[in-house]
Amino acid sequence: MSDVVLVDARGVRCPLPVLRLARALVDAPVGVRVRLLATDPAARTDVAAFCRIRGLDLLAVQEEGDHTAYLVGPVTPR
């Protein structure tokens, strides 16, 4: 994947995965997507709710062994 910012939140618990995602979205250039890796089971609900509240697109959710990958974006102009 090109134009993807990776956020590794494996091993941390709620609310840190969503907080790291939010920070990455603020720092990311316009047009990129953010890929969040998380092991916290609560992230599945939290990331979906965060995207819904912020009007972001949750493009994919995929189980990858011991973690889940969430693809959010693309980042739009602020």
Side-chain angles (χ1 to χ4, degrees), residues 6-30:
L6 179 64
V7 177
D8 190 348
R10 292 177 289 185
V12 298
R13 306 292 277 169
C14 178
L16 290 177
V18 169
L19 292 175
R20 290 183 181 179
L21 172 62
R23 182 62 182 176
L25 289 165
V26 167
D27 293 340
V30 171

Side-chain angles (χ1 to χ4, degrees), residues 17-68:
V18 169
L19 292 175
R20 290 183 181 179
L21 172 62
R23 182 62 182 176
L25 289 165
V26 167
D27 293 340
V30 171
V32 304
R33 295 168 290 165
V34 176
R35 186 169 188 258
L36 171 70
L37 307 179
T39 51
D40 184 0
R44 183 173 286 273
T45 303
D46 294 346
V47 171
F50 174 81
C51 289
R52 191 171 46 256
I53 290 167
R54 295 281 180 100
L56 299 167
D57 293 325
L58 180 55
L59 302 171
V61 178
Q62 183 175 352
E63 296 296 324
E64 297 182 350
D66 67 339
H67 65 273
T68 305

